[in-house]
Amino acid sequence: MQQSKLIHTFLFSIKSDRTKTKCLKYIRFFEDHYKHKIESLLTLQPKAVEQILIDYIISMHDKALSHASINGRLAAINSFLTLNDVSVNTKKLKRFFGEHKKTVKYE
């Protein structure tokens, strides 16, 4: 699959091969949900980008994804946006993650 120059530059900024693979996977998940390439977010106003990301967080929450999964997927998108000089209010976005629940019980 041919990568855009922006995605290539984003992946080049990541040191770990494992992190590169995960970030690319999470970006593809977002693109499948959003039905557009992630690069299209760069043409929108920050408030519109925030609303798209909030909708994405809510859809992940509805699919019963864990807090950590939502955080990881959004971190990849946010890193891409930050590298391309698009600022979103991450504190506001994290309010939509839901409650962090422990999945392992220690005895």
Side-chain angles (χ1 to χ4, degrees):
M1 176 186 325
Q2 182 67 24
Q3 292 178 354
S4 74
K5 184 171 175 71
L6 293 172
I7 293 290
H8 181 73
T9 304
F10 167 65
L11 293 175
F12 186 78
S13 72
I14 301 170
K15 292 175 181 44
S16 164
D17 287 337
R18 186 171 179 194
T19 304
K20 285 180 189 181
T21 304
K22 284 279 192 189
C23 284
L24 188 57
K25 180 172 115 177
Y26 291 157
I27 286 172
R28 297 298 174 236
F29 286 159
F30 174 75
E31 289 176 339
D32 289 343
H33 171 79
Y34 182 51
K35 307 286 191 248
H36 295 285
K37 294 289 186 187
I38 195 167
E39 293 92 337
S40 66
L41 292 179
L42 304 178
T43 64
L44 303 174
Q45 294 293 321
K47 292 288 184 191
V49 174
E50 283 178 7
Q51 189 56 54
I52 289 168
L53 294 179
I54 289 169
D55 292 343
Y56 184 52
I57 292 167
I58 291 170
S59 76
M60 289 188 289
H61 198 273
D62 290 344
K63 292 177 185 174
L65 289 177
S66 71
H67 187 277
S69 293
I70 294 171
N71 190 41
R73 290 180 184 200
L74 204 65
I77 297 165
N78 191 43
S79 292
F80 174 81
L81 293 173
T82 300
L83 208 65
N84 288 289
D85 300 322
V86 176
S87 296
V88 292
N89 187 345
T90 54
K91 190 172 182 179
K92 176 181 175 181
L93 295 176
K94 288 182 185 259
R95 293 187 55 87
F96 292 91
F97 280 22
E99 186 177 341
H100 183 72
K101 298 176 186 171
K102 290 189 179 194
T103 56
V104 178
K105 294 183 181 180
Y106 296 100
E107 294 181 24

